[in-house]
């Protein structure tokens, strides 16, 4: 708030091409699994693994993993999109609860946090995660398609913001300590999402 508008405009103009390229890159990365109907023959990604769907009419709901297939048994196959979406959300919620606890325990071995974080799931159009100063961390449910280590990376990234809000040198020092090799994991996240977009 103490920086003049002229200085801010000068920095933005200097970084204009870089900002535009990053915005374009982000826009491409978030076009995940477009226009899925969740019917037999389509594919979905679950924690970095591609599965082909098979939807079977059955009186009893159940889900079976068979090599590269996810077989959904359900009473009303016309509601497959709703049912499968809800199932994927449940799988993501389970992993988030599990990994959040693990990541937080590991993080606290290295750093104290000013507030107790609360991790929630929220749809976001342009970000994998977000963090508020009072400790509310949101994770994008589209991460259900990403490998587990990438989900962990996003959790660590947001936890690090509770210590350093900006992406400065200290922020990356904190992140490297709790998530060694995070740069390569971030590259893997971007690559895996681009791969999903092409399928």
């Amino acid at each position: 708030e103490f920086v003049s508008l002229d200085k801010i405009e000068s920095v933005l103009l200097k970084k204009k091409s870089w900002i535009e390229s990053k915005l374009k890159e982000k826009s491409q990365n978030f076009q995940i699994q477009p226009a899925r109907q969740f019917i037999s023959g389509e594919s979905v990604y679950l924690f970095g693994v591609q599965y082909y769907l098979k939807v079977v009419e059955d009186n009893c709901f159940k889900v079976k993993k068979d090599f590269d297939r996810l077989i959904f048994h359900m009473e009303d196959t016309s509601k497959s999109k709703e049912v499968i979406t809800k199932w994927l959300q449940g799988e993501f919620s389970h992993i988030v609860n599990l990994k959040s606890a693990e990541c937080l325990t590991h993080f606290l071995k290295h750093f104290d946090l000013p507030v107790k974080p609360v991790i929630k799931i929220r749809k976001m159009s342009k970000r994998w995660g977000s963090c508020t100063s009072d400790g509310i961390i949101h994770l994008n449910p589209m991460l259900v398609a990403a490998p587990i280590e990438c989900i962990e990376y996003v959790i660590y990234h947001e936890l690090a913001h509770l210590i350093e809000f900006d992406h400065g040198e200290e922020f990356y020092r904190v992140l490297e300590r709790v998530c060694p090799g995070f740069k390569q994991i971030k590259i893997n996240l971007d690559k895996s999402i681009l791969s999903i977009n092409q399928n």
Side-chain angles (χ1 to χ4, degrees):
E1 62 185 289
F2 301 106
V3 179
S4 69
L5 286 176
D6 287 344
K7 177 65 175 176
I8 293 171
E9 287 178 359
S10 173
V11 172
L12 287 174
L13 286 172
K14 188 176 180 181
K15 298 286 186 178
K16 180 181 177 183
S17 61
W18 180 86
I19 292 170
E20 288 176 342
S21 69
K22 289 298 178 182
L23 286 172
K24 184 177 179 181
E25 180 183 306
K26 285 288 185 184
S27 177
Q28 292 172 342
N29 285 352
F30 277 88
Q31 295 170 5
I32 299 175
Q33 302 188 17
R36 292 290 201 277
Q37 296 302 312
F38 296 97
I39 57 176
S40 293
E42 284 188 344
S43 68
V44 295
Y45 280 78
L46 179 63
F47 307 131
V49 179
Q50 184 180 26
Y51 292 95
Y52 292 93
L53 295 175
K54 184 174 182 180
V55 180
V56 179
E57 189 172 337
D58 198 334
N59 292 330
C60 182
F61 176 77
K62 61 182 177 180
V63 182
K64 181 181 178 183
K65 289 182 185 178
D66 184 16
F67 297 103
D68 63 346
R69 291 197 302 173
L70 280 174
I71 305 169
F72 285 83
H73 295 253
M74 64 186 72
E75 190 171 348
D76 186 353
T77 57
S78 69
K79 295 182 178 179
S80 61
K81 184 175 183 178
E82 177 185 335
V83 171
I84 295 172
T85 298
K86 185 177 180 180
W87 183 84
L88 288 170
Q89 290 172 346
E91 292 294 292
F92 184 60
S93 294
H94 174 72
I95 285 295
V96 167
N97 289 335
L98 181 67
K99 291 300 174 181
S100 295
E102 291 178 3
C103 292
L104 181 57
T105 298
H106 177 65
F107 196 96
L108 291 174
K109 290 178 180 177
H110 298 279
F111 300 100
D112 292 325
L113 290 173
V115 294
K116 183 178 180 180
V118 176
I119 298 180
K120 301 180 178 182
I121 297 170
R122 186 182 74 182
K123 288 184 179 180
M124 291 175 276
S125 61
K126 300 293 181 183
R127 302 159 84 179
W128 294 123
S130 67
C131 179
T132 65
S133 58
D134 57 352
I136 305 298
I137 291 173
H138 289 107
L139 299 179
N140 194 323
M142 290 191 293
L143 282 167
V144 70
I148 298 294
E149 70 169 2
C150 295
I151 297 172
E152 293 174 334
Y153 154 74
V154 176
I155 294 171
Y156 283 127
H157 184 108
E158 301 309 329
L159 287 172
H161 275 309
L162 294 176
I163 295 177
E164 289 292 328
F165 188 75
D166 296 321
H167 290 110
E169 289 184 11
E170 180 62 18
F171 170 83
Y172 288 111
R173 185 187 71 80
V174 170
L175 189 54
E176 179 65 37
R177 189 166 178 189
V178 295
C179 187
F182 74 88
K183 291 180 182 178
Q184 185 58 52
I185 296 173
K186 174 65 167 63
I187 291 170
N188 293 343
L189 173 59
D190 291 339
K191 282 184 178 178
S192 68
I193 297 305
L194 286 172
S195 175
I196 290 167
N197 294 340
Q198 294 167 1
N199 282 283

